[in-house]
Amino acid sequence: MAPSGSLVASLAGLLLLLLGAPWTYGRRSSVRVITDQNWRDLLQGDWMIEFYAPWCPACQNLQPEWESFAEWGEDLEVNVAKVDVTEQPGLSGRFIITALPTIYHCKDGEFRRYQGPRTKKDFINFVTDEEWKSIEPVSSWFGPGSVLMSSMSALFQLSMWIRTCHNYFIEDLGLPVWGSYTVFALITLLSGLLLGLCMIFVADCLCPSKRRRPQPYPSKKILPESSPPLKKVEEEQEADEEDVSEEEAESKGGANKDFPQNAVRQRSVGPSLATDNP
C-alpha cells in the first residue's frame, strides 16, 4: 500500500505543476514585449517601459520587481512593457539607450526617463502620485518618432546587420578576418560610387546646365561694339595726315614768297655794284 500511496502523491504533485504552469505563464505575460513592429503603441496611453539585456546582472536583479509591478498595471491603468536591446537594436538607437537597465515613462507620446529607485513600491508611487509631472519630457527633436531618431535607429540596425554578415563570413564561410574587412571595404567603395552617380543624375535633372554656343571671331560687321575704337584710330590717323599736309603746304608757300623778294634785292644790288666798279 505504501508504494501506491507514494505513486498517488507524485501524480498529484505533477498534476499541480501542470495546472500551475499556465497560471505562472499568465502572470508573466502581463509584461508586454515591444518590438520594431509595435513600438508606436507607446504613443497612446500611459506606459512604463524597461530596456534590458539578458546578460546584464542589474537587469536580472530588476526582473522580479518589474514582474511584480506589472501585476498592478491593470489596477493602476498603466501598461508595463519591456524591450530586449539585443533583439531590437533599432529601438535602442531610437531611444538613445546608453545604460542598462533604462526605464522610460510615456504619457500620450511624451517620454520621460525614470531615474528613481527600482522597487515595486517606488514604481507604484511614481504612477499613483504622478511624480512623472516633475520630470521634463524629452524634446520633440530627440523623440522616438522624430526624423533624427529614425535615422539613428536605421544606423543601429545597419550596424547589427554588418555584425551579422561579419560573423557569417568568418564562421560559416571560413573567411579570415582581413578577408571580411576587404569585402566590406569593396562594398563601401561601390556603394559610394553608385550614390555619387545617383546624386549627379538627380542634380542634373533638377538643375540642368546651360550649354553655351562657341562665339565667332569678332569682326567689324558682326560686332558693332568694336567699330568705334577703330573709327577713332582712323580719324586720328586722317587728322595727323591733314596736319602734316598743311604744314608742308605752309612751308612751300613761305618759300615761294621769299623767292621774289630775294630776286628783287639781287637786281637792285646788281647795278650799284656796277657803278661802284668803273
Side-chain angles (χ1 to χ4, degrees), residues 25-265:
Y25 179 79
R27 282 196 311 173
R28 293 181 179 178
S29 64
S30 58
V31 179
R32 297 185 57 179
V33 178
I34 302 299
T35 63
D36 284 322
Q37 286 72 31
N38 64 352
W39 75 268
R40 292 190 178 275
D41 295 342
L42 303 175
L43 302 178
Q44 296 179 354
D46 199 354
W47 291 80
M48 289 287 287
I49 314 103
E50 175 203 5
F51 291 85
Y52 74 101
W55 49 263
C56 174
C59 299
Q60 294 173 1
N61 296 330
L62 177 61
Q63 291 307 310
E65 296 290 336
W66 196 253
E67 296 291 342
S68 299
F69 169 61
E71 296 176 3
W72 288 76
E74 186 176 356
D75 297 332
L76 298 174
E77 296 181 354
V78 61
N79 299 302
V80 181
K82 62 181 180 180
V83 178
D84 186 355
V85 295
T86 60
E87 297 292 335
Q88 308 296 328
L91 291 180
S92 63
R94 191 180 292 276
F95 286 87
I96 316 179
I97 304 303
T98 57
L100 294 174
T102 298
I103 299 173
Y104 273 96
H105 174 266
C106 179
K107 179 68 173 179
D108 296 331
E110 289 185 351
F111 290 85
R112 295 172 173 86
R113 187 168 181 175
Y114 176 82
Q115 295 180 344
R118 299 168 183 171
T119 62
K120 170 186 173 182
K121 181 179 179 181
D122 293 310
F123 294 147
I124 294 174
N125 293 335
F126 181 80
V127 176
T128 55
D129 298 340
E130 296 183 349
E131 296 178 3
W132 49 269
K133 290 184 177 180
S134 61
I135 302 175
E136 185 178 357
V138 177
S139 174
S140 59
W141 288 95
F142 297 98
S146 63
V147 177
L148 181 61
M149 292 299 101
S150 298
S151 302
M152 188 68 68
S153 174
L155 288 176
F156 272 67
Q157 291 177 349
L158 178 62
S159 64
M160 184 58 66
W161 178 81
I162 292 174
R163 182 179 178 180
T164 303
C165 293
H166 178 69
N167 294 333
Y168 173 75
F169 291 153
I170 295 176
E171 297 175 0
D172 296 344
L173 299 182
L175 292 177
V177 177
W178 62 266
S180 177
Y181 290 158
T182 303
V183 172
F184 284 114
L186 293 176
I187 293 174
T188 303
L189 290 175
L190 292 176
S191 60
L193 290 174
L194 292 176
L195 182 60
L197 291 175
C198 292
M199 292 178 65
I200 293 173
F201 177 76
V202 172
D204 193 19
C205 292
L206 296 177
C207 301
S209 58
K210 297 181 180 179
R211 297 180 180 178
R212 296 181 179 180
R213 296 180 179 179
Q215 297 181 356
Y217 185 80
S219 60
K220 294 182 180 180
K221 294 181 180 180
I222 299 175
L223 298 176
E225 295 180 356
S226 62
S227 58
L230 295 176
K231 287 183 178 179
K232 290 181 180 179
V233 173
E234 292 177 355
E235 291 177 356
E236 291 177 357
Q237 291 178 355
E238 292 178 357
D240 294 339
E241 292 177 357
E242 290 179 357
D243 294 339
V244 172
S245 61
E246 289 178 356
E247 290 178 358
E248 291 178 354
E250 290 178 356
S251 61
K252 289 181 180 180
N256 293 332
K257 290 179 181 179
D258 294 337
F259 177 75
Q261 292 179 359
N262 294 330
V264 171
R265 290 177 181 176

